[in-house]
Structures are given as structure tokens and as C-alpha cells.
Amino acid sequence: MCGIVGIVGSKPVAGRLVDALKRLEYRGYDSAGVATVYDGVMDRRRAEGKLFNLEKRLDSEPLDGTVGIAHTRWATHGVPNETNAHPHFVEGVAVVHNGIIENFSEIRDHLTAEGSVFESQTDTEVIAHLMAKYLGEGLQPQAALLKMLNRVTGAFALAVMLKDHPNTIMAARSGPPLAIGHGKGEMFLGSDAIALSPFTSEITYLVDGDCAIISRDGATILDFSGNVVKRPRQISQATAYVVDKGNHRHFMEKEIYEQPEVISHALSHYVNFADNTVGANAAGIDFKSVSSLAISACGTAYLAGLVGKYWFERYARLPVEIDVASEFRYREMPLQPTQAALFISQSGETADTLASLRYCKENGLKIGAVVNVRESTIARESDAVFPIMAGPEIGVASTKAFTCQLAVLASLALGAAKARGTLTAKDEKELVKHLAEMPRIMSRVLNLIQPQMESLSRELSKCRDVLYLGRGTSFPLAMEGALKLKEISYIHAEGYAAGELKHGPIALIDENMPVIVIAPYDRFFDKTVSNMQEVAARGGRIIFITDEAGAGASKLPTMATITLPNVDEIIAPMIFSLPIQLLAYHTAVFMGTDVDQPRNLAKSVTVE
Ligand code: F6R
């Protein structure tokens, strides 16, 4: 959701600001803008659409200020056009903002009655107007900032630059993340450390309720009452990665093919391959003494959690409550300090997941975080952090983060089982051995199924609706398959528990509706095949994703059968994720959609 950067530099900054925005483009990409100030001139360039439109604009109309702020937008208030793009300018004040100002409409009415004229439809513009008003009343910049921060409510990260104070950027955080980067004779500001990684690895994270006055020599951090607060300076682990697709057409494709490598990396953090045992890193929570586990997350991360529920309950006999974070946070669920809670988030910044975490923390629960970004807010506010080690995921549709989340949850479930005495040493060795085999099997499967996925995607691209069915851990996979297809190809898709078919969705089945059935040859196989019979009897076309044993056992006619190797139940969800990812990917490529940056989506959802 929107990315912010700022540089207080000593040479022109526009190019570097755009470079940093490229690393934040995953947060939003419907418009972008940059403003700089130098020698009494504050100017801006903004452009609708992707960042390259802004780059083109800057090529023809460069900016040469040495202090600047910039923004990539994911629209909340107001359509994505140039007028609504940030930075917003009001009388020598420039503002970029990520989040939502909840009382903007009341402030806007009030300021309009006083004579202010608003240009955009955004909530952000009230910040610029309030700042201009307070400065006009004679307040110094810091006092005006504090007064503005105490007037607005909501979740925000923002940066303010002033034409008359051209050596300073002011920033504030109340919700979405914001990091200050320390350079030599230069200072930086960014929505995350990755944006700043080419400039510096020395980072200070602002916490909620912090604001900062940043100059070339350093930053003063204050609370919203103006008291100076100290925040630690740390070395960021976000390396200066190259935004590079390698030999792939899209980041999503690259990330799908990276899975064997990153999963192996993730697993080696949690299990000992030498003796096939679960390692100490899988024991950050005292699973032995907890009465139950609450899991919460959003979107794909939630679906990973749903697979995790099956594993924790089956292997560790640990009851799991799971809910999407936007519901969890408001359910007023009675919680006991004897419970533990697990939050799953690639970005570690998702607003609803973070709010659910804080709710559990207030209730005294021990908090674990399964995150990709180790320095994220969710990680920092947790008692135990379980990194998924997937590396930066740029494609907006999650792929490698999902399977790494699964690998980590499988390891944690086994760690919990070991701690609770529900796993024999023999079973532990056996299951860890299966986990260890996973990267090799994934590589084989990716090569094996690629041509079939490509040709099948031509058929799928002609469809208006697609149904996915599965049982057991294949049920969350069915939902993930549907989510992946709809978010990048815009084809309507639904994922159902196969047993639910006859309770409603069967009414949709006809010869135009492909039904993708995910069914490894496991203890649910016969039941799922019965549901397939029901589909076939009504003329439905079946795409059957199964394994060698399943393909041999089912005699039903299908539109296509995708046959994977036979694998143990504990790794099946990761292996069976590959065809559903590739099917969605190739369908989207075939349809010519924007695979890496699908419409209306953003990677890090820092608003409710
Ligand atoms: C879908 C997808 C989203 C995210 C969700 C949570 O492909 O990526 O559904 O899973 O927005 O994001 P994180 O994991 O960053 O909390």
C-alpha cells in the first residue's frame, strides 16, 4: 500500500528517489511522483500509471533539487490519476503519505469553510493544508508537524518537505512502517529497508507514535507530544538485491522456479538433515505447555495457516483456531494466556494481521510470527520469529512465500509434536526425511509439468468460471488455486471442500465449467473421486491433479490429468502447489494480463 522515500542529500536526488521507488513498486503502482527542493525552488513531477511513466516525465523535465520526497501509490481515496498522485503541494508544503486519514472528511469540510481550496480527492491533501495553515499562523515546522499529527486520526506513514526549510524532511508513523537510513553526510527515509538498501544498511525504525526531523547530519526522533525518544540504530539484513528477472519473463515465473532452492534454505533452518531430526529453531514457542493455538493471517498466508492447522492437529494433537485477520481482530474471541498465537505474513506489515497480533498480546498470549521480512513490524512485535527465508518476493501474487510458509509450518508442527510427546523418534526421522526430499521432487515436478500446464492454460483462458475442489490439506490448496487464478487472470474462480459440492456449488456444473480436482492418493482419495463422479454425471469437465497412484486408481474420463510423483502426505501440499501456480501463471500470460502487477492489487496491505 503506497511506498514512501525521501533523501536529504548534497547532490541531485530525483534519480535515486526513483530508483528507491522501484524497490517499493510492489506496494502500489497506479501512479507515482517525486518532489525536490533547491535554492528556493520546490517542484514536482507526477504521472499516472507505472513508474516508467514518471521516469519518462523526468527525462524530459528533470528536477535538480538535492532534498526530495517521492511516492508510489495504491489508491484508497480518489481515482488513480495525476491530480490525486503524491506529492501534494499546498503553499510551500509537500506531502507524501501511506495509509488512511480517517477524519479527513471532517477536516476537509472545516478547512473548506475557512477558505481552503482542495485540488484532489485524496485524504492526504488535508495533511498539506493543515501544515500550511499552522505554518501560516506562525508556528515553527516542528510545532506545526506536532499540531497536525494531533489533529489527524487513522493509520499513516508520511513525509513532509517545506520550501522555506529546504534542508530538512519531517516524517511520522502511526501504523504503516517507516525507516530512517543513515548515510555519510546524507540521510534517507523509506517505507522499508529494502528501498534504502543501495544507499545504506544502517537503519533506525520508527515505532508507532514517532515523528522525526531529518537533516543531513542525522535525525531527531520525537513522540507526538514533542518529547525526544531514542530508537536503536541497527544494521539491516536487507541486502542490495538487484530488481532482476534473470532469464524469466516475469518475477512470478522466476519465483515459482526458485522454490526448490528457497525451500531447501528454509528447511535447513528448522531441521537437521544430517540426522533427520527437527532442530531447535522450530521450538521458539513452548508448545508443550500451550492449551491451543490461534492462527491468523490474510489471503494466501491465511491459506498456508489453514494447511498448518491440519498439521498441528494431526501431528501435535494441538487444537487450532484459525481465522482471517480482518475477522479475528473484531471477533472479541475469549482468549486465555495458556494459548499461543501464530501470525503468518510475507510482508510482516499487513494491517489486519498486526491488529490481531496486538489483540492477542493484550490478552497475554505468547506470540509467534512466520514472516519473510525479518525486520518487519509483525516480527518485531512477536516473542518468537520464524523466518520463511524466501528472499524478496516481487510478484504480487504470492508463490514461493506460500510454499516456504508451508515448509516452516510443517517443521513447527513437527517441533510441537516432538515437544508434546506425540511423535515417536522413528516417525520424526521418517517425516523429516520426506521434508528433505522435497526440493529435489519440486525441481523434477517443475520440469515435468511445464509443457502440459502451458497447453492447458489455453483451454482455461477461454473460461469464465472455474471451480477448484479438494479435501484435507488439498481443501486450502483448492482455495489457493482459485485465488491465484482470479488475481492474475481475472477469471472468476472458487475453491471448495470437495464434500461441500453437493451443498450448493453443484448447481453451477455444466459443460462450460472446468472443475479442477486436487486429489493425491491419500486417505481422502476415494471420497474425492465420488465427488468427481457427481461432476462427471452432470457433464462437468474435470482437470484432475493427482499422483501416479491416483491416476492409476481412477477410471473417470477427464479433460486432463496432471500426474505428479507419489509423495508423503506431509509434503503433498507443497508439491501440489506447483501445478496450481503454473496453471494460473500460464493462463494469465496467455491472456496478456499484467502478471507481476495485477490490477487493483498491492503486495503489502497496510490499510484495513
Ligand atoms: C495473494 C497474496 C495475498 C497475501 C495477503 C497477505 O497472492 O499474496 O493474498 O497473501 O495480502 O499478505 P502478507 O503475507 O504480506 O501478510
Side-chain angles (χ1 to χ4, degrees):
M1 304 277 109
C2 301
I4 291 177
V5 279
I7 303 178
V8 188
S10 42
K11 50 184 196 259
V13 289
R16 285 190 293 164
L17 285 170
V18 171
D19 237 36
L21 281 187
K22 282 185 188 157
R23 294 179 156 71
L24 291 178
E25 209 180 5
Y26 70 87
R27 301 178 75 92
Y29 34 79
D30 60 40
S31 59
V34 52
T36 67
V37 62
Y38 178 64
D39 219 8
V41 179
M42 189 162 84
D43 207 353
R44 68 179 167 185
R45 303 286 178 265
R46 300 180 294 170
E48 189 179 326
K50 297 285 177 62
L51 208 45
F52 57 74
N53 294 340
L54 178 66
E55 279 185 294
K56 272 198 280 179
R57 190 79 192 273
L58 280 163
D59 281 347
S60 54
E61 298 167 72
L63 288 173
D64 46 23
T66 54
V67 174
I69 54 177
H71 187 262
T72 178
R73 179 166 187 249
W74 185 84
T76 56
H77 295 62
V79 294
N81 60 17
E82 188 173 327
T83 312
N84 287 331
H86 304 209
H88 289 283
F89 272 17
V90 176
E91 295 165 22
V93 176
V95 172
V96 292
H97 158 231
N98 167 27
I100 292 176
I101 304 298
E102 285 169 1
N103 58 345
F104 91 98
S105 153
E106 174 254 307
I107 297 175
R108 189 179 164 124
D109 288 350
H110 184 83
L111 293 174
T112 305
E114 285 183 358
S116 297
V117 177
F118 281 77
E119 276 180 2
S120 73
Q121 302 160 309
T122 66
D123 52 340
T124 308
E125 201 182 336
V126 299
I127 301 170
H129 277 280
L130 283 175
M131 285 299 297
K133 172 179 153 77
Y134 299 146
L135 291 165
E137 288 168 2
L139 291 184
Q140 287 303 305
Q142 182 178 312
L145 178 77
L146 293 173
K147 191 163 178 187
M148 179 275 291
L149 292 173
N150 285 291
R151 178 73 175 86
V152 297
T153 57
F156 52 81
L158 56 88
V160 178
M161 192 172 71
L162 304 176
K163 178 167 164 265
D164 293 340
H165 297 267
N167 297 312
T168 308
I169 291 175
M170 297 188 290
R173 174 183 182 181
S174 176
L178 208 48
I180 294 173
H182 303 263
K184 293 200 169 52
E186 294 189 308
M187 290 290 288
F188 306 92
L189 180 73
S191 292
D192 66 26
I194 287 178
L196 304 183
S197 59
F199 313 137
T200 180
S201 59
E202 282 192 54
I203 298 291
T204 299
Y205 288 99
L206 295 184
V207 305
D208 278 355
D210 281 356
C211 58
I213 314 292
I214 306 163
S215 66
R216 280 186 191 90
D217 313 323
T220 306
I221 304 176
L222 313 156
D223 62 23
F224 286 5
S225 306
N227 304 306
V228 173
V229 291
K230 288 263 172 266
R231 302 290 172 224
R233 203 192 271 208
Q234 59 194 80
I235 301 299
S236 163
Q237 293 179 9
T239 47
Y241 73 93
V242 190
V243 182
D244 178 6
K245 301 186 187 102
N247 292 326
H248 296 276
R249 285 169 291 180
H250 300 97
F251 282 109
M252 182 175 176
E253 186 183 47
K254 177 176 174 242
E255 287 156 7
I256 289 173
Y257 282 89
E258 268 172 10
Q259 291 177 104
E261 192 189 328
V262 289
I263 283 221
S264 144
H265 197 49
L267 283 172
S268 62
H269 189 72
Y270 295 96
V271 301
N272 306 313
F273 292 131
D275 58 3
N276 291 320
T277 55
V278 182
N281 288 336
I285 288 181
D286 179 12
F287 286 114
K288 185 171 191 292
S289 60
V290 301
S291 57
S292 67
L293 190 62
I295 300 183
S296 187
C298 299
T300 288
Y302 161 74
L303 296 172
L306 201 49
V307 177
K309 172 184 162 79
Y310 285 85
W311 285 330
F312 278 107
E313 293 185 340
R314 176 168 185 203
Y315 297 112
R317 311 303 299 151
L318 180 61
V320 175
E321 265 280 348
I322 176 160
D323 211 342
V324 288
S326 52
E327 291 300 318
F328 187 103
R329 64 182 290 187
Y330 294 118
R331 255 172 69 197
E332 299 182 27
M333 191 177 13
L335 293 169
Q336 308 296 330
T338 52
Q339 293 174 273
L342 209 51
F343 298 90
I344 307 164
S345 175
Q346 187 285 128
S347 63
E349 301 294 349
T350 300
D352 285 322
T353 311
L354 182 58
S356 303
L357 181 157
R358 288 176 178 162
Y359 175 71
C360 288
K361 217 169 174 179
E362 278 162 20
N363 282 275
L365 274 70
K366 185 95 172 160
I367 309 290
V370 176
V371 290
N372 197 24
V373 182
R374 283 207 215 187
E375 295 152 18
S376 59
T377 313
I378 288 177
R380 278 183 282 126
E381 295 195 12
S382 297
D383 301 310
V385 180
F386 304 105
I388 63 163
M389 306 170 108
E393 190 180 61
I394 309 295
V396 163
S398 187
T399 51
K400 63 174 181 171
F402 177 64
T403 49
C404 283
Q405 284 161 352
L406 291 179
V408 172
L409 289 167
S411 308
L412 295 185
L414 296 186
K418 203 169 158 178
R420 295 167 69 81
T422 56
L423 188 70
T424 63
K426 181 168 165 282
D427 286 346
E428 178 186 358
K429 277 199 186 325
E430 208 41 47
L431 289 164
V432 173
K433 222 158 81 191
H434 290 305
L435 290 177
E437 285 167 352
M438 184 161 55
R440 181 181 50 79
I441 299 173
M442 284 183 125
S443 295
R444 201 173 119 213
V445 167
L446 283 168
N447 288 328
L448 185 79
I449 62 175
Q450 152 92 18
Q452 193 186 7
M453 295 301 99
E454 242 181 294
S455 65
L456 208 50
S457 66
R458 283 163 205 264
E459 289 302 310
L460 270 197
S461 66
K462 294 178 203 145
C463 301
R464 223 188 52 181
D465 309 285
V466 179
L467 201 60
Y468 287 72
L469 299 177
R471 275 176 192 262
T473 53
S474 299
F475 160 46
L477 275 200
M479 290 196 279
E480 172 61 5
L483 178 63
K484 222 77 308 170
L485 185 71
K486 67 185 142 196
E487 68 184 327
I488 59 170
S489 73
Y490 316 142
I491 293 173
H492 171 239
E494 298 294 337
Y496 272 96
E500 278 289 292
L501 182 70
K502 56 177 91 54
H503 299 289
I506 200 162
L508 298 171
I509 306 286
D510 62 18
E511 63 285 358
N512 298 317
M513 166 98 113
V515 180
I516 300 183
V517 180
I518 304 167
Y521 193 68
D522 56 16
R523 59 212 156 97
F524 310 111
F525 182 79
D526 291 340
K527 307 250 176 253
T528 311
V529 168
S530 304
N531 302 127
M532 275 169 65
Q533 297 270 16
E534 294 156 8
V535 173
R538 285 155 184 87
R541 294 183 301 156
I542 295 164
I543 297 176
F544 189 29
I545 306 181
T546 186
D547 50 26
E548 286 154 4
S554 163
K555 302 286 173 261
L556 277 177
T558 63
M559 173 180 160
T561 298
I562 300 155
T563 309
L564 306 179
N566 296 329
V567 295
D568 187 80
E569 264 187 56
I570 195 152
I571 64 167
M574 288 71 108
I575 304 298
F576 278 68
S577 292
L578 303 176
I580 63 174
Q581 293 171 350
L582 281 176
L583 210 49
Y585 171 72
H586 285 296
T587 306
V589 171
F590 191 70
M591 294 174 78
T593 59
D594 191 342
V595 172
D596 283 334
Q597 297 181 336
R599 70 184 182 205
N600 305 338
L601 294 178
K603 187 113 189 115
S604 181
V605 185
T606 51
V607 293
E608 267 195 62

